[in-house]
Amino acid sequence: MTVERTLSIIKPDAVAKNVIGQIVARFEGAGLKVAAAKLVQLSRAEAEQFYAVHAARPFFKDLVDFMVSGPVFIQVLEGEGAIAKNRDLMGATDPKKAAAGTIRADFAESIDANAVHGSDAPETAAVEIAFFFPGLNVYSR
Ligand code: RTP
Ligand code: MG
């Protein structure tokens, strides 16, 4: 396995629930390192651009409304197989279908307010990291 980087977003519902630390602890507990992090309020334009791949989907407006409804905690996570590892830790998109013990099973409310985002492939991870952390500095430790 190779060391990868992936983009994680702790979405407004989980930030509002005050569980940033509990979610980060799961990433760290699985061997992922936080390589960058920031708490930000997304603009509509940023949320629309970030989820542009879903622009034609019926849920797009609800998704953007939700992503700008409060601050989000955005991280770059680094580690062996980080992209798939993060997706495993997150669980299925719909929390009702998410496996027990996953972040979405434990913290998500609904398919819209589903606690976390994670990049789904190396190509999307690279684009998403560059979108939120242009000129990223990564510190060895
Ligand atoms: P994400 O991109 O946020 O990590 O989630 P994902 O890969 O598991 O799911 P994706 O298919 O990329 O969808 C992005 C977000 O759109 C919302 N969604 N709503 N109502 C619906 O049928 C529906 N489908 C997707 C979810 O909030 C999902 O996280
Ligand atoms: Mg996705």
Side-chain angles (χ1 to χ4, degrees), residues 36-106:
K38 59 183 178 182
L39 184 76
V40 293
Q41 169 68 54
L42 297 182
S43 67
R44 281 201 85 79
E46 286 172 320
E48 285 170 0
Q49 197 182 334
F50 182 74
Y51 276 122
V53 66
H54 297 307
R57 308 285 286 278
F59 58 79
F60 184 65
K61 184 177 179 300
D62 287 346
L63 175 59
V64 171
D65 286 346
F66 169 65
M67 290 302 288
V68 302
S69 66
V72 295
F73 190 69
I74 310 178
Q75 297 170 87
V76 176
L77 302 174
E78 185 177 76
E80 296 221 340
I83 296 166
K85 194 177 272 187
N86 180 37
R87 299 286 296 189
D88 286 347
L89 292 167
M90 289 163 59
T93 308
D94 182 350
K96 292 200 287 289
K97 296 179 184 157
T102 60
I103 292 168
R104 282 167 165 163
D106 291 343

Side-chain angles (χ1 to χ4, degrees), residues 30 32 101 140:
L32 297 173
S140 55

Side-chain angles (χ1 to χ4, degrees), residues 5-11 15 20 23-24 27 32-40 50-51 67 72-78 82-83 85-87 89-90 103-104 115-120 124-125 128-129 132-133:
R5 289 187 198 136
T6 189
L7 189 89
S8 163
I9 302 179
I10 301 180
K11 296 184 179 183
V15 173
I20 294 172
I23 293 174
V24 174
F27 298 143
L32 297 173
K33 288 182 177 177
V34 178
K38 59 183 178 182
L39 184 76
V40 293
F50 182 74
Y51 276 122
M67 290 302 288
V72 295
F73 190 69
I74 310 178
Q75 297 170 87
V76 176
L77 302 174
E78 185 177 76
I83 296 166
K85 194 177 272 187
N86 180 37
R87 299 286 296 189
L89 292 167
M90 289 163 59
I103 292 168
R104 282 167 165 163
V116 280
H117 161 83
S119 306
D120 58 15
T124 49
E128 292 176 0
I129 290 168
F132 283 120
F133 296 98

